Amino acid sequence: MDLRAHAPVTTALRFCLHALLVGLLALAALRAAGDGTAHTAAVVVPAGLMAALYAAGVLAPAVQPHTRAARLWLAALGVVWLALLALSPEALWVAFPLYFLQLHLLPPRSGLPAVAVTAAAAIAGFVLHGQEVTAGAFIGPLLGAAVAVATVRGYEALFRESERRREVIDELVSTRAELAVAERTAGTLAERERLAREIHDTLAQGLSSIQLLLRAAERSLPEDATATAHVRRAREAAQDNLAEARRFVRALTPPDLERGSLAAALSRLSSRSSAPDLTVQFAVSGRPVELPTPYEVALLRTAQSSLANAVQHSGARRAEITLSFMETSVSLDVVDDGRGFDAAAAPARTSGGGFGLLAMRARARSLGGTLSVESGPGQGTAVAVTLPLPAADVHGPAGAESTQDAEGRAA
């Protein structure tokens, strides 16, 4: 029998229950032996039988709470106890450990009636043995039954509360582990983006300029000049290294951009909004052109941050994302119908609960663009980021503009 041994205190209570029942049976047997009457054996035998039956149930794996085996075991104990009660008034006290057994092993709808019947049998046995009828003879078994019910129900309530706390702790530990994984993933993605931006803004752009300058130098030299071959090989080496740098940038691209264009990534972002009550619509304006990876990353992250703000801070029900391609620039607009805020009083620093505007503005500024925010209490929020297209700011050597427009765009 396992009396819900889920904690060390339960083990101690179970040991006390065993000791109490065996001790009361031994008391009844010893009192009968001390009287020296003829029916001593008649008391000792059922007392020993009840002790043996109790030990068998305690050791039987099948005797578990709310099982048929437990009910049969308790019924057998009850029959032997009634026989012992008919022979000795001392058996009345065995009712107290029986209360706890019945409350532990029987469901509430049958445990409480069983306790009541046991208390009534104990009182009746006391009266039938001709003992002096006092108020204590009636109050004692009833009070014992009440104490048993209060103790068992109180322990069960504490156990349920302990289980709830354990589940909450397990959930918190699991959530903390998930947050740690998410933070590591976010840190990894942020580092990949930073490396991609650094490679694009420094190494790739430098190699592109070197290639264009070498092409211009190659065109200005006579075909049969000695330096022409060296310049050509240098240009080809720069071109190969530029292609390798571009491969690095592509390899560091965020997963959302690996499966297609920026427009496709924004469309997927709109369709899988994290809030069930938020409807997001996405539209593309103008003729889409291929953008450098840092541009796509910056625009995608701005859209993600703006939607996250709409969900967490503004309580928006509707949002619109518009990606606009113009002759010299590309812009992204995210507009929601949330509660808005005072844009002039927006926090200067980002924090765990901030708007993230500083990070978005810094990302746009690093690419030569701008970010504007229009909002007011109860007026929703509009976030717009505009980035200049790379071809608009390119000024290479004479005769090299068309080549840089074709080759430097993806750098």
Side-chain angles (χ1 to χ4, degrees), residues 39-409:
H39 71 286
T40 298
V43 174
V44 173
V45 170
L49 178 61
M50 187 172 182
L53 183 61
Y54 178 78
V58 169
L59 299 176
V63 178
Q64 298 293 333
H66 303 177
T67 61
R68 184 172 182 270
R71 291 193 295 271
L72 293 176
W73 181 62
L74 287 175
L77 282 177
V79 170
V80 177
W81 174 69
L82 289 176
L84 182 61
L85 183 62
L87 296 171
S88 171
E90 308 297 336
L92 176 149
W93 309 110
V94 181
F96 292 99
L98 288 179
Y99 295 154
F100 288 96
L101 287 177
Q102 292 163 348
L103 292 171
H104 272 296
L105 296 179
L106 296 176
R109 64 178 180 273
S110 55
L112 292 177
V115 169
V117 170
T118 302
I123 296 173
F126 187 84
V127 173
L128 291 176
H129 278 286
Q131 302 293 324
E132 182 181 356
V133 178
T134 62
F138 291 89
I139 295 176
L142 295 178
L143 182 60
V147 170
V149 171
T151 302
V152 172
R153 293 295 178 259
Y155 173 77
E156 290 178 346
L158 290 175
F159 174 73
R160 287 193 296 269
E161 180 65 22
S162 175
E163 284 296 294
R164 282 195 295 268
R165 290 185 178 181
R166 183 186 61 80
E167 292 173 359
V168 170
I169 292 174
D170 292 343
E171 184 177 353
L172 288 175
V173 171
S174 176
T175 302
R176 185 171 60 182
E178 292 175 359
L179 287 176
V181 173
E183 289 177 356
R184 287 195 297 270
T185 303
T188 301
L189 292 176
E191 183 64 15
R192 288 175 60 178
E193 292 178 20
R194 187 189 68 82
L195 290 175
R197 187 165 57 249
E198 292 294 331
I199 293 174
H200 172 269
D201 294 343
T202 57
L203 180 61
Q205 294 290 4
L207 289 172
S208 179
S209 298
I210 292 172
Q211 180 189 8
L212 293 174
L213 291 171
L214 289 173
R215 184 183 294 276
E218 182 182 358
R219 289 175 178 175
S220 65
L221 290 174
E223 184 65 28
D224 57 351
T226 304
T228 302
H230 297 294
V231 171
R232 182 181 296 111
R233 284 195 293 271
R235 179 182 60 79
E236 292 173 350
Q239 183 176 358
D240 292 341
N241 282 273
L242 177 60
E244 187 68 22
R246 289 170 178 167
R247 280 194 291 271
F248 286 150
V249 172
R250 286 193 297 270
L252 296 172
T253 300
D256 288 333
L257 294 173
E258 291 178 352
R259 299 191 296 271
S261 64
L262 172 62
L266 291 174
S267 179
R268 287 193 296 271
L269 177 64
S270 303
S271 63
R272 63 168 190 257
S273 171
S274 59
D277 296 333
L278 178 64
T279 301
V280 183
Q281 291 186 343
F282 170 68
V284 179
S285 174
R287 183 175 63 87
V289 297
E290 183 179 357
L291 297 174
T293 298
Y295 279 53
E296 294 185 335
V297 172
L299 295 174
L300 177 61
R301 292 300 186 229
T302 299
Q304 290 173 331
S305 298
S306 299
L307 285 183
N309 290 339
V311 172
Q312 298 175 7
H313 303 293
S314 72
R317 304 296 297 272
R318 180 183 177 85
E320 295 181 0
I321 301 176
T322 305
L323 179 64
S324 303
F325 293 92
M326 294 164 280
E327 289 187 5
T328 60
S329 63
V330 58
S331 65
L332 178 78
D333 298 276
V334 182
V335 181
D336 67 65
D337 63 351
R339 63 178 63 96
F341 64 99
D342 186 358
R349 295 178 179 272
T350 56
S351 62
F355 294 93
L357 298 178
L358 182 63
M360 289 189 279
R361 184 170 285 111
R363 191 187 296 272
R365 188 182 300 116
S366 69
L367 297 175
T370 60
L371 182 134
S372 63
V373 179
E374 296 180 3
S375 182
Q379 299 178 7
T381 303
V383 177
V385 58
T386 302
L387 303 177
L389 290 177
D393 294 334
V394 173
H395 300 285
E401 286 84 352
S402 61
T403 304
Q404 185 165 6
D405 184 28
E407 297 181 353
R409 179 172 302 187

